Amino acid sequence: MKFLKSIKPLLLVIVAALTLEATALVQMYFSQKGIREEASMRAESQLEATRNKILIIIDQAEAAVRNSQWIAQWCLDVPDSMERVCQRIVSDNPVIVGSTMAMVPGYLPKRRLFSPYVYRDENEELVCRSLATEEYDYPSQEWFVKPMELGAGYWSEPYIDEGGGEMLMTTYSLPIYDKKGKIAGILTGDVSLEWLKELIGSIKVYPHAFCLLDSREGNSMVGIPPEATGIEEEVFVYDATVDRTGWKISIVIPASDMFDVLRSTGFIVMILQILGLVMIILMLRSYIKGQKRYSALDQKRKLVEGELHIATGIQMSMVPKTFPPFPERSDLDMAATIVPAKEVGGDLYDFFIRDEKLFFCVGDVSGKGVPAALVMAVTRTTFRNLSASTDSPGRIVRSMNDSLSSMNENNMFVTLFCGVLDLQGGLLRYCNAGHNPPLILTGSINILPVVPNLPLGIMPGMDFQEQEVELSFDDAIFLYTDGLTEAENIAHEQFGEQRMVDALHGRKSAADHLESIKGRVAEFVGEAPQSDDLTMLFIHYLPSARHLVLKNDISQITLLQTFVGEAVKASKLDGLLAPGLNLALEEAVTNVINYAYPEGVEGSVELDAEVGEDALVFTVTDSGKEFDPTARPEVDINEGVEQRKIGGLGIHLVRNIMDEVSYERRDGKNILKLTKKY
């Protein structure tokens, strides 16, 4: 027995060490992921900007050569004029430093090789010379051979033009066809690449990051700068390719630049972990010494219990506890609960309505006891203050993260889900900060798609992505903390997501849903102690009115089925009545579409469905010519077809399906009301 008792403290030390290490690894993982994503976005943005700057020069050079194509074709019969074509290309286009019209060997009967070359010298004056020399075999040059093979424009590999511009350049070559469709020569435009060194060298994503530029064939155009040649650490490389030229721009970021702040923070976290372990070891060592310390330890236990009692009081005093929270509203059915554990954590939920928008959040602080309860209180207060001035969940969460990071002396983090529901339109905007994804209850139960983002309080200045989804009548959102899915029984089995989903099946009120889940958790856990707070928030969206606008187009009739179905679902009527009500409404709307507006005139039909205490009322409104369908006399359906007057069967059908049908002309509009009583 003594041996077993001595083993337990050692196990506690090991568990504490593993927990601290796991926490650090989780923090490091999410932090590194966020930093890498930010670095990738910065690098990609810079690469795209640089690529566009290069393409501007490339496009200008291509346009200059292509615009002179027709002149070069005309000059095939007068070769001595080709020099003027090249002069025009160079003089009119500052990005081009040289141009030649290189004829296919033997094309000109009297001149086997002919290639007048015009370039801009150091004094910005145009100089003309011939490339048809023994020293410079232009028919074998890439800028001449490739467009001959391809029969199309081509950007050459960068080269030092020793026979022409005497500089690092690239050439755009365009084949010139004669009247017979045969390639007669190659018209070129040379672009100096000296400006690329300055452009590439100016890219500074991070202090020690640098940029490289390679050609299509992998030759270095702008290499590693001298100050970066000694880098021997891990680097991150981001690439982009320049269209048409095949050049590859690469941004190289040393890992030390990217993770410098994180490593400093990680070192501090490691020291705190070591100190924490040392404290735990010392406390356990003092416990093992025997019964002499028993009274002191007992006193400490009482202090801890008092602390937990204070934490519970802080936690429960900060969250709304009156349900239903908005008794005057019929468009919301809400319930929330926190079932505190013996070892109180920092779970929270909050909600309020401003400007017909429901602001709500559910969160979980990483620690326990009074520190976690205090962080929970600060988090809730910050949420309230920020939500009072902005409707954007993304901005709310970003500001909360910056605020909590600046005062996070205990290295706690908070997972949080923040949402803003437009009660009039049903648009739900939300932002998730490392929290469990909520469930969305529509026709089925599914996990709401969320971007995980980082928890709050880890690092300031982080970006949090906002998302949105449309809620319809009878849709619901269920939010919870991991104390629900991770509730364990004696066998250390967890309650899990599937049991949670199963507990949400069936139509119940929000409060009944939560009571049902709490009952199932209690039944599953049995005698096992509750290890974490269990927090749940259920939001049931029940807008009482429906509105639909149709054009006076008969194809719009198909939209009525969903409109009527949702209205019947919201009412106390039997769902089997929906097809009949839809038929009556189709008849009324078809009558408006066919006869209310003159032919060729665009109009509309407005429909409203009001769910009342005693009846479901449909209102059909149009601005067409005045017409009272209720004024038509009842149709004798027993008369023969020959004796019966044309018309009247439609209103007869409507009257037989609905309990009340009334009409009025008000403010230039026809208003037809169809009532079906419960």
Side-chain angles (χ1 to χ4, degrees):
M1 291 296 292
K2 291 182 178 179
F3 175 74
L4 291 176
K5 289 182 178 179
S6 64
I7 290 293
K8 287 183 179 179
L10 180 60
L11 290 176
L12 289 174
V13 172
I14 294 174
V15 171
L18 292 176
T19 302
L20 289 172
E21 185 63 25
T23 301
L25 290 175
V26 170
Q27 290 178 329
M28 184 66 69
Y29 170 77
F30 282 110
S31 299
Q32 286 183 344
K33 181 181 178 183
I35 290 171
R36 284 197 299 269
E37 289 176 353
E38 181 188 10
S40 176
M41 288 188 292
R42 291 171 63 179
E44 289 173 2
S45 175
Q46 188 66 62
L47 287 169
E48 182 64 17
T50 304
R51 190 176 73 88
N52 289 337
K53 290 179 182 178
I54 294 175
L55 284 175
I56 289 174
I57 303 299
I58 297 300
D59 290 340
Q60 290 178 3
E62 283 192 15
V65 175
R66 290 186 183 280
N67 291 341
S68 300
Q69 183 179 7
W70 68 274
I71 303 177
Q73 290 173 332
W74 179 82
C75 290
L76 291 176
D77 296 330
V78 281
D80 292 335
S81 300
M82 293 180 182
E83 179 183 326
R84 297 190 63 184
V85 176
C86 299
Q87 286 178 342
R88 177 184 174 188
I89 292 175
V90 178
S91 62
D92 292 350
N93 299 278
V95 301
I96 295 181
V97 297
S99 175
T100 185
M101 176 61 183
M103 302 300 296
V104 173
Y107 183 84
L108 298 177
K110 297 181 180 180
R111 300 176 183 178
R112 182 179 177 279
L113 299 177
F114 183 71
S115 180
Y117 179 68
V118 177
Y119 66 95
R120 191 180 291 108
D121 64 9
E122 297 176 353
N123 300 320
E124 296 296 317
E125 295 183 358
L126 299 185
V127 178
C128 182
R129 61 186 300 178
S130 175
L131 298 183
T133 65
E134 295 181 1
E135 295 79 11
Y136 187 76
D137 183 19
Y138 77 78
S140 66
Q141 301 298 318
E142 181 196 16
W143 58 263
F144 186 88
V145 173
K146 283 293 185 179
M148 288 287 294
E149 294 176 353
L150 299 173
Y154 175 78
W155 281 97
S156 73
E157 277 284 291
Y159 64 95
I160 300 292
D161 187 19
E162 298 177 351
E166 304 296 341
M167 65 181 72
L168 178 65
M169 64 174 65
T170 182
T171 299
Y172 178 68
S173 309
L174 187 68
I176 303 300
Y177 291 85
D178 60 15
K179 296 178 180 178
K180 297 180 180 180
K182 181 180 179 182
I183 298 178
I186 304 298
L187 181 62
T188 72
D190 297 335
V191 178
S192 170
L193 299 181
E194 297 299 320
W195 56 277
L196 274 176
K197 295 180 180 179
E198 181 178 354
L199 175 62
I200 298 300
S202 66
I203 299 175
K204 283 292 181 184
V205 182
Y206 286 89
H208 301 99
F210 57 91
C211 192
L212 305 175
L213 183 64
D214 294 333
S215 69
R216 181 193 296 112
E217 301 297 331
N219 298 317
S220 177
M221 299 166 63
V222 178
I224 301 176
E227 64 271 15
T229 53
I231 295 178
E232 297 181 355
E233 60 177 292
E234 180 186 6
V235 296
F236 295 86
V237 182
Y238 303 91
D239 300 321
T241 302
V242 180
D243 299 340
R244 301 194 295 279
T245 65
W247 300 344
K248 185 174 77 171
I249 314 169
S250 302
I251 291 180
V252 182
I253 304 174
S256 59
D257 271 22
M258 192 179 297
F259 300 115
D260 185 49
V261 175
L262 183 60
R263 285 172 179 170
S264 301
T265 305
F267 179 72
I268 296 173
V269 171
M270 182 183 67
I271 292 176
L272 292 174
Q273 287 179 326
I274 294 173
L275 290 175
L277 282 174
V278 170
M279 291 178 64
I280 292 173
I281 293 171
L282 291 175
M283 290 174 62
L284 292 173
R285 182 174 176 271
S286 64
Y287 172 79
I288 295 172
K289 286 183 178 180
Q291 294 297 325
K292 292 182 179 180
R293 300 284 302 275
Y294 177 80
S295 58
L297 290 174
D298 186 63
Q299 185 63 30
K300 287 184 179 180
R301 179 184 58 80
K302 293 178 181 179
L303 291 174
V304 170
E305 289 178 354
E307 182 184 49
L308 294 176
H309 180 73
I310 294 171
T312 301
I314 293 173
Q315 186 180 35
M316 299 311 296
S317 66
M318 296 296 291
V319 298
K321 296 183 288 296
T322 302
F323 294 98
F326 312 110
E328 73 282 2
R329 305 190 68 102
S330 60
D331 54 351
L332 275 178
D333 180 19
M334 291 182 61
T337 184
I338 292 181
V339 181
K342 181 179 179 182
E343 202 172 352
V344 178
D347 280 14
L348 72 139
Y349 67 82
D350 197 16
F351 53 82
F352 66 93
I353 293 177
R354 174 175 66 80
D355 299 332
E356 285 303 299
K357 292 182 177 65
L358 174 67
F359 295 76
F360 62 92
C361 70
V362 167
D364 187 2
V365 182
S366 60
K368 295 184 181 300
V370 170
L374 292 175
V375 172
M376 168 265 184
V378 172
T379 302
R380 186 263 186 183
T381 302
T382 306
F383 166 77
R384 282 273 175 152
N385 292 340
L386 293 171
S387 301
S389 57
T390 179
D391 296 342
S392 168
R395 286 197 292 270
I396 292 171
V397 172
R398 279 193 293 272
S399 299
M400 290 179 69
N401 177 64
D402 292 341
S403 177
L404 292 173
S405 298
S406 65
M407 61 179 71
N408 191 6
E409 298 179 358
N410 294 321
N411 291 313
M412 292 182 176
F413 61 87
V414 182
T415 66
L416 185 88
F417 183 94
C418 175
V420 178
L421 173 60
D422 184 351
L423 297 175
Q424 294 183 337
L427 177 65
L428 171 62
R429 293 183 295 159
Y430 59 92
C431 183
N432 188 52
H435 196 73
N436 310 82
L439 297 179
I440 180 168
L441 289 74
T442 54
S444 58
I445 302 176
N446 298 291
I447 296 175
L448 183 69
V450 299
V451 176
N453 296 310
L454 286 177
L456 305 182
I458 293 178
M459 183 177 297
M462 300 305 297
D463 191 25
F464 292 82
Q465 185 172 337
E466 180 178 305
Q467 299 168 266
E468 63 180 44
V469 66
E470 288 280 351
L471 295 188
S472 301
F473 176 85
D474 204 36
D475 289 350
I477 297 290
F478 176 67
L479 302 96
Y480 62 96
T481 58
D482 55 14
L484 172 59
T485 53
E486 294 177 6
E488 291 185 350
N489 58 18
I490 296 294
H492 299 291
E493 297 173 329
Q494 294 188 344
F495 187 72
E497 292 184 359
Q498 188 57 52
R499 290 186 178 90
M500 174 182 67
V501 171
D502 293 342
L504 287 169
H505 280 292
R507 189 179 182 88
K508 305 183 186 75
S509 67
D512 288 342
H513 268 301
L514 299 194
E515 287 300 319
S516 173
I517 293 175
K518 284 196 293 183
R520 292 204 182 192
V521 171
E523 180 181 353
F524 172 81
V525 170
E527 298 299 323
Q530 183 179 338
S531 60
D532 199 0
D533 290 353
L534 192 160
T535 301
M536 298 178 288
L537 172 61
F538 194 97
I539 302 172
H540 195 180
Y541 183 53
L542 298 166
S544 60
R546 286 290 176 271
H547 183 72
L548 179 66
V549 179
L550 304 179
K551 298 179 181 178
N552 58 328
D553 184 343
I554 200 66
S555 65
Q556 298 262 290
I557 289 295
T558 57
L559 300 176
L560 287 176
Q561 184 174 358
T562 301
F563 173 77
V564 174
E566 287 192 359
V568 172
K569 188 177 179 181
S571 71
K572 301 176 184 178
L573 292 173
D574 189 332
L576 296 176
L577 295 175
L581 297 178
N582 184 61
L583 182 61
L585 212 59
E586 279 188 8
E587 185 63 38
V589 172
T590 301
N591 189 58
V592 175
I593 291 175
N594 289 334
Y595 306 113
Y597 298 97
E599 185 175 354
V601 174
E602 185 174 332
S604 64
V605 188
E606 295 186 24
L607 296 100
D608 292 280
E610 182 179 355
V611 180
E613 288 294 325
D614 303 315
L616 174 60
V617 181
F618 293 100
T619 304
V620 182
T621 306
D622 69 85
S623 301
K625 62 183 179 181
E626 182 175 357
F627 176 71
D628 180 5
T630 64
R632 300 186 67 91
E634 287 288 346
V635 175
D636 185 359
I637 60 174
N638 295 316
E639 285 185 341
V641 175
E642 295 80 4
Q643 292 80 24
R644 188 187 307 149
K645 295 181 179 179
I646 297 176
L649 286 177
I651 189 64
H652 175 78
L653 175 67
V654 173
R655 283 171 171 158
N656 276 273
I657 294 175
M658 309 304 292
D659 293 317
E660 293 180 3
V661 181
S662 63
Y663 166 85
E664 65 172 318
R665 179 78 175 181
R666 186 172 69 237
D667 299 328
K669 295 183 178 181
N670 296 309
I671 302 173
L672 181 66
K673 287 193 174 184
L674 311 177
T675 302
K676 188 66 176 178
K677 296 181 179 180
Y678 300 153

